[in-house]
Amino acid sequence: MALVPLGTELPLPWLFLDTTLELDLTARVYLGFTSVVWLAAGLYAAFGDRGGPAGAPLARAGRFDALFLIAMAGNFWLIVGQDIFSFYAGFAMMGIASYGLVVHDGSTAALRAGKVYLVMALLGEVTLFAGLVLLASEAGTTQPTPADLTGLSSATIVLLLLGLGVKAGMVPLHLWLPLAHPAAPVPASAVLSATMIKVALLGWIRFLPVGELALPGFGHWLTLMGLATMTLALPVGLVQRDAKVILAYSSIAKMGFLMLILGLALVQPALAPVAVAGIVLYAAQHGLAKGGLFLGVGLRKHAGAAGTVAQALILGVLVFLALALAGAPLTSGAAAKYALKPVLDGAEWTWIGAAVAVTTVGTTLLMARFVWVAAGLRGHAEPGWLWPLTAWGVLAALVVLFPFAFGKPAGWLSNAGPVGIGVGIAGAIALLAAQRPRLMAPLVGLVPPGDLLALLMPFLTAVRQVGVEFLDELARARAWLDGLAHRVFDRIFGSPGGDVEHGLRRWPVAGALWVSIGAMLLAALFAGREIGTPSTAAEAPTPVRAETLPEHAAAPAPEVAPAPEPAPVAVQRPVPEAEAAPEPEPVLEPEPVTEPAPAPAPEPAAEPVPVPETEPVPEPVPEPEPEPEPALPEPEPEPEPETEAAPSPAPPTVATPEAAAVHGPCDPPRPYPFSTGGSTLEMTRCAPDGEPLAAPVLSRELVRAVQQALADAGHNPGPIDGLMGPATRGAIAGFREARGLPAGTAIDFALLDALKDTSAPD
């Protein structure tokens, strides 16, 4: 890890949607202290106690080891993963596997703590998942840069704050933390408190526009929530009697302090660079110190008999780690808090510095309470603790060297005033407790672990009781309705009835049935007559037309034969002549059908002079169209070719020109190639029905090809990842404006043609 250059990337395009692993400066610091804590806790778990009863079977230890490694893999993955999917996948792996670590003991307290942890963890993961999905949709990429996060909506920011706030122990979402940490085995408690809760800060730094955009509303809210978290955790932790519970509340208080710093950075983006660097450094210091404190509690119980030199040495190291966590001078805590001093001094709320100083006094008192409880632990010597002691010693040595390696000399002696006040108050309380132990005894255990959850238990119990009573009443009501339904059914169908046929034969019943059936028949009869009358009226004119036509056609029988030929051509098609059945008989003679083909137009031109030939023509015509027939006799030879020529061009204008204009480009359909970067995509410009398309079907390959072509043309489309982000839309709009295309950000064939012209060789 230390030998890998900064900025080294490992692309994994086959994983999720193009996963990328990268080691930037923040990831390097996080991965450094996280791996050290996991290594020390792993050695403790491998050679020491796993939290199970004496003589636990190997299967129990194997289950713990598997869950421990899965949680570690998820923690490492979300640190080096730079995309949204990697962060969430690692977060989920770590969170779900930790449930198995919490309930590993199998005791009643562990199962209760596991239930609370699982509910809160799933609630946080679902909320975080919704926020990350919205973030990807709004940023347009799964690997957002700080500039891509400036357009996030308020809903997305709220979901990210709440989803990660559960893991960070934000009040009132901290209920799981003081229950899960003491219930889990010592190595699991160490990694839960030292490394896992820190990933919330990493997620906020990566997925919130820290330093890019001022968010005073969210910044003030996060600042106040951090202050409330510290204010609640410190006094509640002081009255606890379990050393691991005290350390859990200490972790909640420290996470509240870092939330406060991050909130100030959201309010004033100018403070963001110093705030982010200070948060990462403080998280590393707290992770090393808190991991050493949790492992030291286990060693205090198992690594040596009471009163031995080993126990005294372990207690001395615990005192040093507690002072480092409180921020005493010449410790890592003082150096880490000094790095955040510019953020506190530059805050618009001038009272923030005083509030933090008061919390430093509270943290000192809390660490004094931890040392008091740890000193009262009675250990017993067990074999096989050499390697856990060695790993713990290396961890404590790193805490000793931390201020000299990463701190500034000006910060070595800082924070002396608040810590000194806290030590003085703690000494006075210790003397008072030694002189009058009964005076302080009522305060111990005053607030049980889980504080707010314990206060809410009476209310939750009352709600459960009301729900149980409501369900009981609902069950009784259902039973009453079922009984009523059974009684009604038995009343109607249960007892046998009398002679039903005899009842139907009675005069009132039979008469009513007869009247009803007769009324229905009469109604059907009248309805049928009403339906039939319009049909007879419609059929009446057709025989009249059929009779009038043969009367006129009977006198000039030989000469009318050529005359009806133009009549069916001009009249029968628009007029529903198919209803007149008698007309086809005089028309279907073979002679008139064959005569118009050889006879052009001049031979019958002399025959239309007699009146009887032209008079019968207008008589059948006025019914469909009266206008064209009287116009025929005035221009004797000329109007006939005009009327014949008028319908002849009509068919081609209906069929061919429009079809050719619409379906020509797609007949036959040809593939549309689009080449860029040495690869060619083939698309179609025709819909399945033959209609041309204005735009192709979007795909990730097409978007990536367009992004590459835009980059070749000198327009910056952002990351070439196949996603339509804001940068890609801006590049399309700029290219269309430069090429004189209609304004817009869509990918259509006009844009592809222009890009092909741009990429074509000169």
Side-chain angles (χ1 to χ4, degrees):
M1 178 189 62
L3 301 178
V4 177
L6 287 178
T8 302
E9 293 186 1
L10 177 62
L12 300 173
W14 51 268
L15 185 61
F16 294 129
L17 295 178
D18 197 5
T19 297
T20 300
L21 307 181
E22 183 180 357
L23 192 67
D24 54 7
L25 183 59
T26 302
R28 168 172 282 184
V29 176
Y30 256 83
L31 192 61
F33 78 84
T34 301
S35 58
V36 170
V37 175
W38 276 98
L39 177 60
L43 289 173
Y44 187 103
F47 293 94
D49 179 34
R50 291 178 173 84
L58 293 177
R60 190 183 185 91
R63 183 185 65 188
F64 179 88
D65 295 342
L67 294 173
F68 189 85
L69 294 176
I70 292 174
M72 182 181 68
N75 197 353
F76 289 166
W77 188 7
L78 67 89
I79 290 174
V80 298
Q82 297 297 316
D83 58 297
I84 292 174
F85 296 100
S86 295
F87 185 88
Y88 181 77
F91 189 88
M93 286 175 56
M94 181 185 68
I96 299 301
S98 298
Y99 167 75
L101 301 179
V102 172
V103 300
H104 175 74
D105 188 8
S107 61
T108 303
L111 295 177
R112 177 176 177 268
K115 182 187 297 184
V116 177
Y117 170 82
L118 187 61
V119 171
M120 297 301 297
L122 293 179
L123 180 64
E125 289 181 11
V126 171
T127 306
L128 176 63
F129 179 78
L132 292 178
V133 169
L134 290 178
L135 187 150
S137 175
E138 294 169 359
T141 179
T142 59
Q143 301 179 20
T145 61
D148 296 331
L149 302 174
T150 56
L152 297 183
S153 62
S154 299
T156 303
I157 297 176
V158 169
L159 291 173
L160 292 175
L161 289 174
L162 295 179
L164 293 172
V166 175
K167 183 63 68 177
M170 177 192 297
V171 170
L173 305 176
H174 70 291
L175 306 175
W176 65 273
L177 204 149
L179 296 174
H181 286 197
V186 170
S189 299
V191 293
L192 278 170
S193 184
T195 65
M196 293 190 190
I197 62 174
K198 306 297 189 304
V199 301
L201 295 168
L202 181 63
W204 283 332
I205 292 172
R206 283 183 177 174
F207 301 130
L208 291 180
V210 182
E212 297 290 331
L213 182 67
L215 299 173
F218 292 107
H220 290 154
W221 178 82
L222 189 58
T223 301
L224 294 177
M225 292 304 298
L227 191 61
T229 302
M230 289 189 296
T231 304
L232 176 67
L234 292 174
V236 174
L238 285 172
V239 299
Q240 302 300 319
R241 57 169 52 95
D242 189 345
K244 294 172 69 176
V245 176
I246 296 173
L247 292 178
Y249 276 103
S250 171
S251 298
I252 296 174
K254 291 301 181 183
M255 291 301 295
F257 173 65
L258 296 179
M259 290 179 212
L260 183 147
I261 298 298
L262 185 61
L264 295 178
L266 288 177
V267 175
Q268 301 180 18
L271 301 175
V274 179
V276 171
I279 288 172
V280 173
L281 186 65
Y282 199 95
Q285 181 271 334
H286 179 267
L288 295 175
K290 185 56 65 71
L293 287 171
F294 269 104
L295 295 178
V297 171
L299 293 173
R300 179 76 177 162
K301 295 179 180 179
H302 305 290
T308 61
V309 177
Q311 285 292 336
L313 182 61
I314 292 172
L315 184 60
V317 175
L318 286 178
V319 172
F320 168 75
L321 293 176
L323 289 174
L325 199 66
L330 297 177
T331 63
S332 59
K337 188 169 288 187
Y338 183 79
L340 295 172
K341 191 175 183 298
V343 182
L344 297 174
D345 295 339
E348 61 178 1
W349 291 344
T350 56
W351 52 269
I352 287 292
V356 172
V358 173
T359 60
T360 302
V361 175
T363 303
T364 305
L365 293 174
L366 189 62
M367 290 296 98
R369 172 63 180 166
F370 165 76
V371 172
W372 179 275
V373 175
L377 295 176
R378 293 294 177 262
H380 54 278
E382 294 180 2
W385 287 90
L386 178 61
W387 280 106
L389 275 170
T390 304
W392 183 65
V394 172
L395 194 62
L398 292 177
V399 177
V400 173
L401 297 176
F402 189 93
F404 307 102
F406 302 103
K408 297 180 180 179
W412 292 349
L413 299 178
S414 64
N415 222 25
V419 174
I421 295 173
V423 170
I425 296 174
I429 294 175
L431 290 176
L432 183 62
Q435 295 294 328
R436 295 185 178 180
R438 295 183 179 180
L439 184 63
M440 307 299 296
L443 297 177
V444 178
L446 182 63
V447 180
D451 49 88
L452 294 181
L453 184 62
L455 296 176
L456 289 175
M457 284 307 297
F459 173 75
L460 297 177
T461 303
V463 171
R464 181 190 301 176
Q465 185 64 28
V466 171
V468 170
E469 292 179 359
F470 175 75
L471 292 177
D472 291 342
E473 292 293 335
L474 191 63
R476 285 193 289 269
R478 180 178 178 181
W480 182 82
L481 290 176
D482 290 343
L484 179 62
H486 284 297
R487 289 193 298 271
V488 172
F489 183 84
D490 292 340
R491 178 68 62 86
I492 298 175
F493 302 102
S495 59
D499 190 356
V500 179
E501 185 177 356
H502 180 271
L504 292 176
R505 288 198 301 267
R506 293 181 179 179
W507 280 110
V509 178
L513 292 175
W514 184 83
V515 171
S516 300
I517 295 173
M520 288 188 291
L521 291 175
L522 288 175
L525 179 61
F526 284 115
R529 292 188 61 183
E530 292 177 358
I531 295 172
T533 50
S535 64
T536 55
E539 294 175 357
T542 53
V544 173
R545 293 178 184 174
E547 292 174 359
T548 54
L549 288 176
E551 288 178 2
H552 293 285
E559 298 179 356
V560 173
E565 293 177 5
V569 173
V571 176
Q572 284 184 352
R573 293 178 181 174
V575 178
E577 293 287 337
E579 298 177 359
E583 287 187 7
E585 297 179 358
V587 176
L588 293 177
E589 296 178 1
E591 298 177 355
V593 175
T594 56
E595 286 180 2
E603 294 180 0
E607 295 179 1
V609 178
V611 179
E613 294 180 1
T614 57
E615 288 179 355
V617 176
E619 291 179 1
V621 174
E623 295 177 0
E625 289 183 356
E627 294 87 5
E629 293 303 332
L632 291 175
E634 294 178 0
E636 300 174 0
E638 299 177 356
E640 294 178 359
E642 290 178 358
T643 54
E644 294 177 358
S648 60
T653 56
V654 174
T656 53
E658 296 179 359
V662 175
H663 303 287
C666 298
D667 188 14
R670 296 179 298 275
Y672 180 86
F674 181 71
S675 301
T676 178
S679 60
T680 301
L681 295 176
E682 287 193 358
M683 297 163 284
T684 178
R685 300 193 66 167
C686 302
D689 57 355
E691 294 292 334
L693 298 175
V697 178
L698 285 183
S699 63
R700 189 167 184 184
E701 291 77 9
L702 176 59
V703 175
R704 185 183 288 110
V706 170
Q707 289 173 341
Q708 183 64 45
L710 289 171
D712 296 340
H715 296 267
N716 183 18
I720 302 177
D721 53 3
L723 299 176
M724 289 289 291
T728 303
R729 296 189 181 95
I732 292 175
F735 180 81
R736 295 178 76 95
E737 182 179 1
R739 300 289 293 182
L741 299 176
T745 60
I747 298 178
D748 53 11
F749 285 109
L751 175 68
L752 298 182
D753 292 338
L755 289 173
K756 290 170 64 176
D757 295 340
T758 304
S759 61
D762 296 337

